[in-house]
Amino acid sequence: MLTVVIADRLGKGQNVAKGVEAAGGRAVVVPGMGADMRLGDAMQQENADLGISFCGSGGAGALTAATKYGYPERHGMRSVEEGITAINDGKTVLGFGFMDQEELGKRLVEAYVKKNA
């Protein structure tokens, strides 16, 4: 089963998690304020396939995970389509502005499964 870690600067991410689960994935939401900065650590602990970070700029958590653990990342994204393109380009850590949307989680998991089937 695909494991997706979701880390939001404001401790949110529950809607994205619903979308991940609706698409058949396992969602792990990192709790608490500043969760985006712990994305890479949580991905390591969960042996995650995909990580999603949310903050104002859409970059801090994704860049930290890439720097600390070497995950291929893309940040500064603002749409579902940008995330799908990043997955198709082989990125496993995705940094978005605040987008706690069920559709985002669902479509990213679908894109990952399709690419890696």
Side-chain angles (χ1 to χ4, degrees):
M1 177 182 285
L2 176 71
T3 299
V4 181
V5 173
I6 302 158
D8 186 288
R9 173 66 54 121
L10 301 177
K12 298 181 182 179
Q14 292 78 14
N15 291 324
V16 173
K18 287 178 192 171
V20 166
E21 291 167 354
R26 181 175 78 95
V28 177
V29 178
V30 180
M33 296 294 284
D36 62 319
M37 299 308 289
R38 299 187 304 276
L39 175 65
D41 297 335
M43 288 179 69
Q44 286 288 301
Q45 291 170 353
E46 297 292 336
N47 195 25
D49 302 288
L50 197 59
I52 305 172
S53 172
F54 297 101
C55 69
S57 68
L63 288 169
T64 301
T67 300
K68 189 169 182 180
Y69 294 105
Y71 291 114
E73 67 84 28
R74 182 160 300 154
H75 63 276
M77 295 183 284
R78 303 272 188 249
S79 72
V80 175
E81 287 72 24
E82 284 180 290
I84 291 170
T85 298
I87 287 171
N88 289 332
D89 290 345
K91 308 305 181 192
T92 58
V93 171
L94 310 174
F96 291 92
F98 293 115
M99 288 180 58
D100 188 13
Q101 303 167 358
E102 192 170 331
E103 177 192 7
L104 179 66
K106 184 175 186 296
R107 291 191 53 206
L108 292 179
V109 167
E110 290 169 349
Y112 187 91
V113 168
K114 181 179 178 183
K115 180 182 182 348
N116 295 289

